[in-house]
Structures are given as C-alpha cells and as structure tokens.
Amino acid sequence: MSNVTMEATTILSILKKKLAFLSGGKDRRSGLILTIPLSSDQTSMEELSTTLDYLLSIPSEKCKARGFTVIVDGRKSQWNIVKTVVLMLQNVIPAEVSLVCVVKPDEFWDKKVTHFCFWKEKDRLGFEVILVSANKLTRYIEPCQLTDDFGGSLDYDHTDWLNKRLIFEKFTKESTSLLDELSIINDSEKTSSMDKDKTADCALLPSFDPETVLQTGHELLSELQQRRFNGSEGGGGGGQGGPAWCPMEEELLAQPQVMKLLDSLREQYTRYQELCRQRNKRTQLDEIHAKVMQVVTWLQGPGSELLKTHQAIGDSIRAAQALQQKHEEIESQHSEWFAVYVELNQQIAALLSAGEEEEVAELKALQQQLSDVCYRQAAQLESRQNVLQAAQSFHSTTQELSQQLDGLLGMLCADVAPADGASIQQNLKLLEEKLQSVEAGLTSLRQKGALLLEQMCSQPSWSLEETESPAGEQQDNVQQIQAVMEEMQLRKQRCEDMVDVRRLKMLQMVQLFKCEEDALQAVEWLGELLDALLKTHVRLGDDSQETRNMLDKHRKFVDVAQSTYDYGRQLLQATVVLCQSLRCTTRSSGDTLPRLNRVWKQFSVSAEERQQRLELALNFHTTAEKVLQQECVEAELLDEVDSLGKTLLDRLTMPVIFPDGSEQYFGSPSDTAAAAEGVRERLLLVEERRLQLQESRLHNDEEEEVPNGQEGRLDVIGEELSEKEEQDEEAEVGQEDEEFERATQNC
C-alpha cells in the first residue's frame, strides 16, 4: 500500500461532499471503478481535483497499473461541465484511466456536438470515452460491481467509508509515532548502565497509551476482516458464475498494513514492559526490607500495648458495645499494617518465584519474621474479638430475657376479660408461647454464659514479656455472670407459678364460653326441629299402617327434641356453676334460658297437636278399614267413621295456638288440602259401602223412596264436601295473605 501524502482530516469537509468515490467495484479487467457523481449544482473543479488526488493515493502501484474505469454520472449536470471533468482526468490521472463512461441523461445533449468533441479529443486524451445510458452501463461493467445508483447490487456507504478511513489514518499516525518513541526508549535503556538509584517508573514515557493504541488497532483489524473497510462481507460477484469477489481488495484494504503495525507495536511494547518490570524489581528490594521492619516494630510495640491494656468485658450490653467499638478501632489500626503485610508478602513471593535475586535467604528470613509477628498479633485480636462478641451476646440475651419476663409478668397481672372462647384460646396460646420463649431464652442465656466463661479462660498468652493479668477483675466478671443467670432463673420460676394459676382460670373461661355456645346451639337446633315440625309434618297417612308408622316416627322426633332441650338445660346449669367459680355475673346465659323455655313450650304444643291429629287419623283409618272389610257392618260403626272423618277435617283447618297467643298452621294450605283430600276420599268409600249394604237389605223392596233417600244423602255429602273445599280454599288464601303481610313488615 502506497504512502498517503494527504490526510483525510485536512480535507474532511471536501470528502463529505462525495464529489468522487471508490466504491470497491471492478471492471472486467480487475481495474478499480472510480465514480464521479455530478450534481445539478456548480461543481468546484478544485475540490474535485483534491478529492481525486486523495482517492488515487490510496491504491497500490500494482492496482493502479491495471487502470481505472471512471464513471462520470452526468444525468444531473450539463454537457460543458461533463466535458471539463473528462478533460481534467487527463491532467490528474492520464496514465491510470482506461475507460471513461459518461452516463447521459434521458434528455440527451446534442449528439453531433458530443460525438464530434470526444472523437476529436480521443488521441489527445489517451483513453476511451463512451456515452452510455444508465441501463446500458452493464454492457461494460457487471451489475454486481455497480452501486444501486446505476441499477447494480453493490452496497456502498460513503459516510461509513469516510469514518473508517479517518480511524485508519489516526491509528497509522499514532502507532507510527508510538513505535518510534518505544524504540528510542528501549535502545537508550539497553545502552545505559544499571542504576539502582532510579525509580520504578521509566525515565521516558510514550506520548500515547500503548494499550489504547493496540486496542484501537485490534478493533480496526477486526472491522477490516469482517467488513472489508466498507461494511460489506462478500460483494455479489459470485452470483454471476465467476469466482467469489470481495470489494476493496488488498490494494484498498488497510489490513496488511494494520497487521504489520500491530506486530511491530506488540514487539516494542513487550520489550518496554519487560524493561519496566526489571527496573521495578530492582527498586522493590530496598523498599521491602524497610517496610518489613516498620511493620514488625509497630506490631510488637504500640499494637501489643493496645491489646494488653483492654481486657474488660463490660457489665451491660451498652458497655460491651462501647468496648466492641474501641476494639474495632484497634482492629482498624492493625488492618492498615496487615494490609502492608499482605502486600509485602506478595512482593516477596513474586521475587522469590522469579529466582533472579541473589538475596533469596534474606528475603525468606524477612518473610518468616513478618509472618510470625503478624499471625501472633492476629490470633490475639481474634481471641479478644471472640470474648467481646460472647460478652455482647450474653448481655443482649440477658436484656431480651428480662424484657420477656417483664412482658409475661405484665400479661399475668392484667385482668382477663375476653369476649369469646376464641379470644381466650388465643390469649392462652400467647401465654404458652411467651412462657416457652422465656424458657428458650433462659437456656440460651446459660449456653452463652458458659461460652463467655470459656472464651475468657482460653485467651492465648503473649509470646513476649507477660503482663500481670487482672485476676480480680476477671473473677468479679465470672461472679457477675453467674449472679445474672441465677436471678433470671428465680424470675422465671415465679412467672411459671403465676402462669399455672392463670392457665386454670382461662381454661374455666373457655369451658364457660363453650357451654354458652352449645346452649345457644341447642336453642337453634330446637328451633329448627320446631320449624321442621310445622312445615313438613302435615301428612296423616293413607291407611292405618302408614299412620301408625308416622306416629312412631313422631314419638322418636319428640324424643330427639326432648334430648336437645335437656342438653341445653344441663349446659345452662354448668354455666351458672362456672360463673360462680369465676365470680362472673354479667354473662349472656340469662337470655338463653328464657329462649330455650319459650321454644320448648312452642314445640311441646305443636308436637301434642301433631300427635292428637295422628291418633285421630289412626282411629279413623282403623274404623274405616273395618267398615270396608267386614261383610256385615252396623249402622253405628258407619256413623262413627263419618263422625271421625268430619272431626279430623275440622282439626286440619285449625291452627296451633302457642302460649304467647300467637298462631301457626301446619304446612302450607296446599299441604293441608292434600291431607284433607285423602280423608274425603276415604269418607266417600265408606259412604259407598253404606249404600251397598242398604241395597243388599232392600234387594226385594220395590219402593223408590229408599234409593231416592240414599241418593239424596249422597247429594248432601257431596254438597258438604264442596262447601268444605270452598272453606279450605278461603283458608289457604287467607293464610297466604297473612304470610305476605308478615314478609312485608319484615322488609
């Protein structure tokens, strides 16, 4: 690649105008295509000449030897400007131009003028000039080598190309300058003698950061390898059947030069780094010895005195926290020296691993001495830290346990007046949890006290001159710890005794609330039984057997209600006993007993009425079945059935009158009508039986009075039944009106 005599930065404003560009396309002779897009504005020939000079300085001489194909896009320009540009090519690049393709506009210039001028100037120009329309340009150049302005498929981004070009020139300039500086630094250091008084930094520093320049070069090389300096990877020539073609081949690409510069720069930078490392290693030796002695002197002197004069553990959490804070300050002072120790140890290890130093034995001795002193001091710090942490934990647990005991005692001293059994259970559970928490806290206090005593007795001894241990103070601390644990044990025992008393009282209150709740439940159950009795127990049975079964079930139903009532009475009696035991007189049980008695009286009246109806129905069905089954029936028995049936029908229409004067019917009017209909059907069967018996007795009697009389009786019975049905309908309508009125009032 030829040297660039002109930098893009100096003519950046001109290059941005895109007066000419190398798209990367090639003609059929592998010559580069130079495009000059003329615009409708007046083109500055001076700026165009400058642009061409810069572009022609980029390819190599070998590439230039293959010649250029110049595309002059005159579709938006005038003929005289195109002619000027073509003539200018003779002065700028006469030897490199092989062919000039002038793209003519749709409204062509004067053919005679243009043909004559180019024909006349052909020999003088030294290259062939042809006029061609944009769609005929592919006769001379493959479509894949043309940009989309001429209907080709070659991608070209002038802004991207210009940015990459600026980056390349910047890298070339900086890397070349950096190479010269590094070479001078390395050569001057090589010739100079080894001077131990020099500092670790190099005497000369390069103007540019080598790491930054290398990174820029690698990024540029990666971009060149991937995008071929114009953002494209493969071009498009392979699709025409020819060999694979990549735009901006090695003549235009800066890849070889960048790779060469990177290799040279890495070589010089490696030598420069090695030079700096050697000089740093020389200066480290003297610094290490001085720093080691400085660390050892402080740790064995002021550092040890700080630890020896702070041995207390405090008598409360606040005192322990103050001691902990003081110890953290001591640790902070030690940490600064330990950081120096770590750094020195790493430096010594690095020097020893290099194996280039003559004073290896001295370095090892310094390293061993430094490690012994630091580890011994670190052990003392850790032991002191463990004692303080154990003391702080012990005092914190003591404070928490004392607060727990105070809270438990306050809960035991407060009056218990919960609203229901669930709240009592919750309070009892909370009481048990607090007691368990106190027990766990006391156990934890014993453990932490034992740990503190162990830590106090197991502190490591000093390797140097021992100071007299404050045995009296330590003994006082031991006695204080034991006294605290004994006091907490006594307080916990007193609270346990009070908890036992409170637990018994709360359990009695739970039982009291349970009895009251169950008594209320008994009232509800009894009310449900009464509701079921009045709404669903309406049928009287179709025969004596069914009625007898219903009567047996009714008695069992009444027994269940009686058991429920007795159960509620027993519960209320228990609540009275518990209230007397707890000295609690303001309970809700006084309301429950009247409710229970009121519901039970209503149920008793309803059950008695139900039983009487069933017994009357049983008597009716039994007598009717005798009349229907016997061959000879007396008239008195027939009259008895008729009387029982009418009585039963009258009973069905009557409401139940409760002790408070209120009334309630069994079931709905439709249910009552259905039960009455069964009785009427049985009465009709009995009456038919009466007629059959009378007909058998008067079989030979020819008088018509008797049959007429019987028929008249049947008519009377029919009329009575009709009147009965009308009364039932009126009663049903009246009851429905009453229920609607009550529902309206409730709303």
Side-chain angles (χ1 to χ4, degrees):
M1 188 172 183
S2 60
N3 293 330
V4 180
T5 59
M6 185 183 302
E7 294 183 0
T9 53
T10 59
I11 59 171
L12 182 59
S13 59
I14 298 176
L15 293 177
K16 286 182 178 180
K17 295 181 180 180
K18 195 181 177 181
L19 301 177
F21 63 88
L22 292 170
S23 65
K26 296 182 180 180
D27 56 21
R28 290 186 173 90
R29 298 167 302 160
S30 297
L32 296 177
I33 296 175
L34 175 64
T35 303
I36 302 176
L38 298 177
S39 62
S40 58
D41 300 334
Q42 186 67 28
T43 303
S44 172
M45 293 299 130
E46 183 180 356
E47 292 181 350
L48 178 60
S49 176
T50 303
T51 303
L52 293 175
D53 290 340
Y54 177 77
L55 293 177
L56 293 175
S57 66
I58 297 176
S60 63
E61 296 299 329
K62 181 179 178 181
C63 181
K64 292 179 182 179
R66 289 199 291 266
F68 290 88
T69 292
V70 182
I71 299 177
V72 180
D73 188 359
R75 289 177 292 179
K76 298 180 181 180
S77 183
Q78 300 177 358
W79 163 246
N80 55 353
I81 297 177
V82 173
K83 180 180 178 181
T84 302
V85 171
V86 172
L87 294 175
M88 185 183 66
L89 293 176
Q90 181 186 18
N91 300 326
V92 179
I93 47 173
E96 287 82 359
V97 177
S98 300
L99 175 65
V100 176
C101 295
V102 178
V103 180
K104 60 186 179 180
D106 294 336
E107 296 179 359
F108 192 45
W109 308 297
D110 189 348
K111 292 184 178 181
K112 294 181 179 181
V113 175
T114 55
H115 178 74
F116 173 77
C117 292
F118 280 126
W119 181 262
K120 183 176 62 176
E121 300 293 338
K122 179 178 181 181
D123 295 336
R124 187 172 62 86
L125 292 175
F127 49 79
E128 182 180 2
V129 180
I130 60 175
L131 295 176
V132 62
S133 60
N135 56 359
K136 299 296 180 60
L137 193 61
T138 53
R139 294 180 180 180
Y140 305 95
I141 303 172
E142 295 294 338
C144 61
Q145 306 298 324
L146 293 173
T147 60
D148 57 356
D149 295 335
F150 306 107
S153 59
L154 180 63
D155 292 333
Y156 175 76
D157 186 345
H158 186 72
T159 302
D160 182 71
W161 175 86
L162 183 57
N163 291 335
K164 298 299 184 299
R165 191 67 195 175
L166 292 173
I167 295 174
F168 167 72
E169 291 183 0
K170 179 176 180 295
F171 168 73
T172 303
K173 180 179 180 181
E174 291 181 355
S175 59
T176 303
S177 175
L178 183 61
L179 280 173
D180 294 339
E181 293 178 0
L182 291 178
S183 177
I184 294 174
I185 293 174
N186 293 333
D187 293 342
S188 62
E189 184 65 21
K190 184 177 180 180
T191 56
S192 63
S193 59
M194 303 298 292
D195 188 356
K196 293 184 180 181
D197 294 334
K198 290 184 179 180
T199 60
D201 296 333
C202 295
L204 299 176
L205 294 177
S207 302
F208 302 100
D209 180 22
E211 295 289 344
T212 304
V213 177
L214 284 172
Q215 182 179 358
T216 303
H218 286 299
E219 293 175 355
L220 177 61
L221 180 61
S222 176
E223 185 70 22
L224 291 173
Q225 291 173 344
Q226 293 179 3
R227 303 183 54 168
R228 296 293 182 178
F229 201 64
N230 70 339
S232 176
E233 290 188 359
Q240 301 296 328
W245 176 85
C246 296
M248 304 295 284
E249 283 187 357
E250 59 181 358
E251 292 82 4
L252 287 176
L253 297 178
Q255 179 179 346
Q257 183 175 353
V258 172
M259 294 178 63
K260 182 178 179 181
L261 287 173
L262 284 175
D263 293 340
S264 301
L265 188 58
R266 279 193 293 265
E267 180 182 358
Q268 290 294 335
Y269 184 50
T270 302
R271 291 178 56 193
Y272 174 76
Q273 288 178 318
E274 181 63 25
L275 172 64
C276 292
R277 282 195 295 269
Q278 291 294 334
R279 299 187 65 180
N280 290 337
K281 188 180 297 184
R282 289 195 301 267
T283 57
Q284 285 178 353
L285 293 176
D286 296 335
E287 294 178 356
I288 288 175
H289 187 273
K291 289 182 178 180
V292 167
M293 299 310 300
Q294 186 179 7
V295 172
V296 170
T297 302
W298 190 89
L299 292 178
Q300 290 181 347
S304 297
E305 290 298 325
L306 284 174
L307 287 176
K308 292 176 183 179
T309 54
H310 292 84
Q311 295 295 320
I313 62 171
D315 55 357
S316 65
I317 184 173
R318 180 174 299 180
Q321 290 175 348
L323 291 173
Q324 175 67 32
Q325 183 177 1
K326 181 61 179 178
H327 181 72
E328 289 175 357
E329 295 175 359
I330 297 175
E331 281 187 334
S332 177
Q333 298 179 26
H334 280 76
S335 298
E336 298 176 0
W337 294 99
F338 287 154
V340 177
Y341 157 71
V342 173
E343 182 181 356
L344 289 174
N345 198 32
Q346 292 175 351
Q347 293 176 3
I348 294 174
L351 293 176
L352 290 175
S353 62
E356 299 177 358
E357 302 299 330
E358 299 178 356
E359 301 178 353
V360 174
E362 182 181 355
L363 286 174
K364 288 184 176 181
L366 288 173
Q367 186 182 38
Q368 186 64 40
Q369 180 184 6
L370 182 62
S371 298
D372 291 343
V373 174
C374 289
Y375 277 113
R376 183 168 57 249
Q377 198 74 1
Q380 294 290 344
L381 284 171
E382 183 179 4
S383 176
R384 174 61 179 168
Q385 177 66 25
N386 293 337
V387 170
L388 289 176
Q389 288 181 351
Q392 189 172 355
S393 178
F394 174 79
H395 293 310
S396 176
T397 305
T398 301
Q399 182 175 342
E400 292 176 0
L401 180 58
S402 179
Q403 293 174 354
Q404 292 174 356
L405 288 170
D406 293 341
L408 179 58
L409 183 60
M411 184 177 181
L412 291 172
C413 294
D415 292 336
V416 180
D420 51 26
S423 60
I424 294 179
Q425 292 283 8
Q426 184 68 24
N427 290 337
L428 184 58
K429 181 181 179 182
L430 180 60
L431 188 64
E432 296 291 346
E433 290 177 353
K434 284 185 175 294
L435 185 60
Q436 292 177 1
S437 178
V438 167
E439 180 65 32
L442 185 60
T443 303
S444 176
L445 182 65
R446 294 195 189 100
Q447 294 175 352
K448 293 180 179 179
L451 177 63
L452 177 57
L453 293 174
E454 181 181 356
Q455 292 289 346
M456 291 172 59
C457 298
S458 61
Q459 294 186 27
S461 59
W462 299 93
S463 60
L464 300 177
E465 219 177 75
E466 293 285 346
T467 59
E468 294 184 1
S469 175
E473 182 180 358
Q474 185 173 2
Q475 185 64 28
D476 293 340
N477 291 334
V478 171
Q479 293 177 358
Q480 178 187 357
I481 294 170
Q482 294 175 349
V484 168
M485 291 190 290
E486 291 175 358
E487 180 186 358
M488 293 299 162
Q489 176 64 36
L490 292 175
R491 290 181 61 185
K492 182 252 185 185
Q493 186 62 44
R494 289 195 297 268
C495 287
E496 280 184 343
D497 296 340
M498 297 179 67
V499 167
D500 293 338
V501 177
R502 176 57 61 89
R503 185 187 296 112
L504 178 60
K505 183 177 181 180
M506 297 180 74
L507 290 175
Q508 288 179 344
M509 296 188 69
V510 170
Q511 187 176 4
L512 172 61
F513 280 110
K514 181 63 176 175
C515 289
E516 292 178 350
E517 292 175 2
D518 292 347
L520 291 174
Q521 185 66 50
V523 175
E524 293 179 3
W525 288 343
L526 198 57
E528 292 174 358
L529 292 175
L530 174 61
D531 189 60
L533 175 62
L534 292 173
K535 291 184 179 180
T536 62
H537 294 202
V538 183
R539 292 185 66 254
L540 299 176
D542 297 332
D543 51 34
S544 60
Q545 182 62 38
E546 184 179 1
T547 304
R548 188 176 290 106
N549 293 336
M550 294 177 70
L551 189 58
D552 293 339
K553 291 181 179 179
H554 176 70
R555 292 191 182 99
K556 294 179 180 179
F557 185 77
V558 173
D559 292 340
V560 172
Q562 181 67 49
S563 300
T564 303
Y565 172 70
D566 295 339
Y567 175 64
R569 294 277 301 190
Q570 293 173 3
L571 290 172
L572 291 176
Q573 291 175 359
T575 57
V576 173
V577 175
L578 290 172
C579 285
Q580 292 175 354
S581 176
L582 294 171
R583 298 178 181 178
C584 180
T585 57
T586 58
R587 300 307 306 165
S588 61
S589 57
D591 302 327
T592 308
L593 182 58
R595 291 176 55 192
L596 179 65
N597 291 332
R598 182 173 60 255
V599 176
W600 173 246
K601 289 178 181 180
Q602 293 176 354
F603 181 85
S604 299
V605 173
S606 302
E608 181 65 25
E609 176 64 24
R610 173 64 176 167
Q611 184 169 353
Q612 291 178 3
R613 292 185 182 187
L614 289 173
E615 290 175 351
L616 183 59
L618 178 61
N619 193 8
F620 168 73
H621 285 301
T622 303
T623 307
E625 289 171 358
K626 289 180 180 181
V627 171
L628 295 175
Q629 293 174 1
Q630 292 179 1
E631 295 180 0
C632 297
V633 181
E634 296 178 358
E636 292 80 0
L637 191 59
L638 291 172
D639 295 337
E640 182 182 354
V641 173
D642 189 49
S643 177
L644 289 172
K646 292 180 179 179
T647 304
L648 185 57
L649 289 174
D650 293 338
R651 198 67 175 264
L652 287 173
T653 60
M654 295 175 60
V656 180
I657 301 175
F658 295 137
D660 58 358
S662 61
E663 298 179 354
Q664 179 70 41
Y665 288 90
F666 277 94
S668 62
S670 60
D671 296 335
T672 304
E677 185 64 26
V679 176
R680 294 190 186 98
E681 292 177 356
R682 181 55 65 94
L683 286 173
L684 289 174
L685 293 175
V686 171
E687 194 62 32
E688 290 176 359
R689 180 60 175 165
R690 183 195 296 273
L691 291 176
Q692 291 175 2
L693 291 175
Q694 290 179 359
E695 288 176 357
S696 63
R697 292 173 184 174
L698 301 177
H699 181 65
N700 297 324
D701 194 350
E702 296 179 356
E703 295 180 0
E704 296 180 357
E705 296 178 358
V706 175
N708 291 334
Q710 298 298 331
E711 291 177 358
R713 183 174 179 80
L714 288 175
D715 293 338
V716 172
I717 293 175
E719 292 176 357
E720 293 178 352
L721 292 176
S722 298
E723 292 177 357
K724 192 66 175 178
E725 290 176 355
E726 291 177 358
Q727 293 176 359
D728 292 341
E729 290 179 356
E730 292 177 356
E732 180 179 357
V733 171
Q735 186 175 1
E736 290 178 352
D737 292 338
E738 291 176 0
E739 291 178 355
F740 177 78
E741 184 177 356
R742 287 196 298 270
T744 304
Q745 292 175 356
N746 292 334
C747 293

